[in-house]
Amino acid sequence: MFDAASSPGRNRRSLPPAQSPRNGVPDARSPEARPGKQRDAFFDNAKYLAIVLVAIGHAWEPLKGDSRVLQGAYMVVYAFHMPAFIIISGFFSRSFDMRPDRLRRLVTGVAVPYIVFETAYPLFKRYVDHSPDQEISLLDPWYLTWFLCALFIWRLTTPIWKAIRWPLPVAFGIAMLATVSPSIGDDLDLQRVLQFLPYFVLGLCMKPEHFHLVRRRWVRIAAVPVFAAALVFGWWAVPRMQAAWFYHRDSAQELGVPWWWGPLMVLALFGCSLLLTACFFALVPRRKTWFTAFGAGTLYGYLLHGFVVKFADYHGWFDHGWLHGPFGEILVSLLAGGAVTLLCTRPVQRVFRFAVEPRMEWAFRREAARGAGGGVRERERERAKLPV
């Protein structure tokens, strides 16, 4: 995710003495909220737990067709894990402007990894799945690379959302129009970019105190029955609702329903996703845990775990009958969670940094490396930019 520091130079008055963050979420004036300072455990925990759910969801895809329970759980997970990512991405994008050093980080931290992995995944399918006809296209995001494409566009538009008076209603209007516009097509996965836009804009509009609200005890207690009810509803909805609605990649007409379903589903899914995301944040530990350190490497886990899942799929590992029962589904979930955890570790980060976080000083003018904090400090601040 991106840091939420305010623009420098606007307020030079001295700040009051720092206080400990309440409920694990840093106040805007605490040391944890300042750029280049201590990472916040709450957001690292949230990112790690969310990336584990992403990996498990991808591992469930080849199995869910044989289990109504698994399909229901799959729908519940997909209702909130990407919205949670996107809201946090928006929250940490509040300080983004067109300053050269921040544009440089946008290019090296989002655009370049998109190009690398948008090329690597089709090549992987060509040679591992023996599909020589698999095309490579930077305009048609493949598998999980769509999020990098979307994040690049959302971040570039951040100054617009910060400037207009009613950003969230405008974002909703754009998302609703997208659901009734099948002519948008697949280029740059613009349907997803536009339909997920309200979550990003919501994150831009949020303040640290909003995260305090979900850390209240009664919210944490209520989150458990809410998730239980969501799982029951998901089981009920399996034969009655298309899971494709949660992908936000198709218009209403493409899903075979009247056009007016699109705007209604935007509002309904946003309400459902926001409720489950709030419950997810409520259950995220606010203190340092054994997995907090993995929160700094979730971009690696996100971009690399797809190769593991696809490798298993291409080689037919999911075709074993015993995996399609409760024991097999639990085992696959544990293996997916363990694999993505390993991919978030520092040794993996060192090996793949050339592709995920390239430095590329040679590609930029010297001015692009300057700015508040410059160089290493800017790089460290931006390490938490993705959920991923």
Side-chain angles (χ1 to χ4, degrees):
M1 303 302 169
F2 297 91
D3 82 313
S6 58
S7 299
R10 292 187 178 179
N11 189 346
R12 298 185 179 275
R13 292 178 298 175
S14 60
L15 296 176
Q19 299 177 352
S20 299
R22 297 172 294 168
N23 299 324
V25 181
D27 183 83
R29 294 185 292 186
S30 68
E32 288 80 0
R34 297 175 191 168
K37 299 296 182 180
Q38 179 182 351
R39 295 179 63 93
D40 180 59
F42 172 80
F43 289 109
D44 277 340
N45 292 338
K47 289 188 296 176
Y48 168 76
L49 294 175
I51 196 61
V52 168
L53 290 175
V54 168
I56 291 175
H58 285 158
W60 281 351
E61 287 181 4
L63 305 176
K64 63 184 179 67
D66 297 325
S67 171
R68 183 172 175 177
V69 172
L70 193 62
Q71 288 183 65
Y74 178 87
M75 292 173 68
V76 171
V77 168
Y78 269 73
F80 75 89
H81 70 0
M82 286 312 300
F85 278 155
I86 297 168
I87 288 172
I88 296 177
S89 295
F91 178 74
F92 281 100
S93 295
R94 295 180 305 161
S95 65
F96 180 80
D97 51 29
M98 295 299 177
R99 207 172 69 187
D101 57 320
R102 287 177 176 159
L103 288 174
R104 171 186 172 178
R105 285 300 304 148
L106 181 62
V107 171
T108 59
V110 180
V112 172
Y114 170 75
I115 294 172
V116 171
F117 285 90
E118 180 61 16
T119 303
Y121 271 107
L123 287 175
F124 186 77
K125 181 173 177 61
R126 276 189 189 183
Y127 295 106
V128 178
D129 194 35
H130 307 291
S131 303
D133 296 332
Q134 177 63 46
E135 296 182 353
I136 299 175
S137 173
L138 298 181
L139 296 179
D140 187 10
W142 198 80
Y143 196 32
L144 48 72
T145 58
W146 71 269
F147 182 74
L148 293 180
C149 178
L151 186 59
F152 185 83
I153 297 173
W154 293 333
R155 287 217 75 188
L156 280 181
T157 61
T158 293
I160 298 176
W161 302 113
K162 292 164 61 178
I164 63 177
R165 181 168 294 179
W166 299 292
L168 196 54
V170 172
F172 269 117
I174 293 174
M176 291 177 179
L177 288 174
T179 63
V180 301
S181 305
S183 60
I184 289 177
D186 297 326
D187 289 349
L188 299 179
D189 236 347
L190 284 179
Q191 278 287 358
R192 274 176 164 165
V193 174
L194 300 179
Q195 290 190 36
F196 274 118
L197 177 62
Y199 299 99
F200 182 80
V201 175
L202 175 63
L204 286 175
C205 297
M206 292 181 69
K207 298 179 180 179
E209 50 264 32
H210 293 138
F211 288 94
H212 293 297
L213 298 177
V214 299
R215 299 309 307 168
R216 297 178 179 180
R217 177 172 178 156
W218 71 268
V219 180
R220 296 199 299 272
I221 294 174
V224 176
V226 168
F227 270 119
L231 290 171
V232 173
F233 180 82
W235 179 89
W236 174 86
V238 166
R240 299 173 174 85
M241 180 180 178
Q242 298 184 63
W245 283 109
F246 295 101
Y247 303 150
H248 296 279
R249 66 185 179 195
D250 300 298
S251 65
Q253 296 93 322
E254 290 171 309
L255 293 176
V257 297
W259 68 267
W260 49 267
W261 273 57
L264 291 180
M265 289 300 289
V266 167
L267 295 176
L269 290 177
F270 184 84
C272 175
S273 298
L274 191 59
L275 174 63
L276 293 178
T277 299
C279 292
F280 170 71
F281 285 148
L283 297 176
V284 170
R286 60 183 181 270
R287 65 187 182 281
K288 283 190 175 182
T289 66
W290 64 268
F291 56 78
T292 300
F294 299 132
T298 48
L299 177 56
Y300 293 81
Y302 178 79
L303 292 175
L304 295 173
H305 85 275
F307 292 106
V308 179
V309 175
K310 288 298 183 182
F311 184 89
D313 190 22
Y314 295 156
H315 284 78
W317 294 358
F318 292 107
D319 296 336
H320 296 288
W322 64 274
L323 287 179
H324 293 253
F327 174 78
E329 293 163 0
I330 293 173
L331 178 61
V332 167
S333 302
L334 293 175
L335 290 175
V340 77
T341 299
L342 289 176
L343 294 174
C344 293
T345 58
R346 290 192 179 276
V348 173
Q349 293 178 45
R350 286 194 292 269
V351 171
F352 290 98
R353 182 160 288 138
F354 75 95
V356 180
E357 294 182 295
R359 296 184 180 275
M360 296 183 62
E361 286 88 352
W362 54 268
F364 297 91
R365 296 179 179 178
R366 186 171 300 177
E367 292 79 3
R370 297 173 182 171
V376 175
R377 285 197 301 166
E378 183 70 16
R379 186 177 183 83
E380 289 302 315
R381 287 208 306 270
E382 297 290 346
R383 285 288 305 278
K385 67 181 181 303
L386 292 171
V388 291

